[in-house]
Amino acid sequence: MSSEDTSAYEYSTIYVKYPFVPSASELAPARGPALSVVAAHNDYEDGPPAAAEFLQWPTVLECEAVPGASAREIVSAVRDVLQGMWSRSIRAVAVCDFEDELPDPPEDLAIR
């Protein structure tokens, strides 16, 4: 059993510029066994202007690491979710403690 501290990797939120869908598997079919993903409507979508545009995108994916998953597996799973959406030209950005370990989106989908 690993004694690796994965507390910084336990949760991440992915903001998605896509109409809300209640099924996370529609947006994130490839996530691997290290990650549990639940889709939610972004309650701030219709709020006052946010400091960053993505904070008001209609859908959020709440990602939680599966107990026992390593940091490497978690980062890989979140990366796969992001790249899966980007490959379908869906804008998505992750907010988490390990953002610096994730790839940047393609230029045409980047946050401006």
Side-chain angles (χ1 to χ4, degrees), residues 1-99:
M1 183 172 186
S2 172
S3 62
E4 173 186 34
D5 180 12
T6 59
S7 59
Y9 296 87
E10 289 178 5
Y11 301 100
S12 60
T13 299
I14 300 175
Y15 289 83
V16 186
K17 190 167 187 175
Y18 192 85
F20 173 67
V21 291
S23 171
S25 61
E26 182 175 326
L27 289 172
R31 58 181 174 257
L35 204 61
S36 169
V37 181
V38 175
H41 180 266
N42 184 358
D43 293 333
Y44 296 102
E45 177 186 16
D46 297 322
E53 170 197 357
F54 71 86
L55 294 172
Q56 292 184 287
W57 289 352
T59 301
V60 292
L61 297 178
E62 298 294 342
C63 304
E64 184 174 353
V66 171
S70 70
R72 179 183 294 194
E73 292 170 321
I74 297 163
V75 170
S76 178
V78 173
R79 182 191 64 235
D80 290 349
V81 169
L82 288 168
Q83 290 179 328
M85 286 186 285
W86 296 338
S87 72
R88 296 174 15 213
S89 297
I90 297 172
R91 293 180 75 193
V93 63
V95 176
C96 54
D97 289 340
F98 53 94
E99 294 169 19

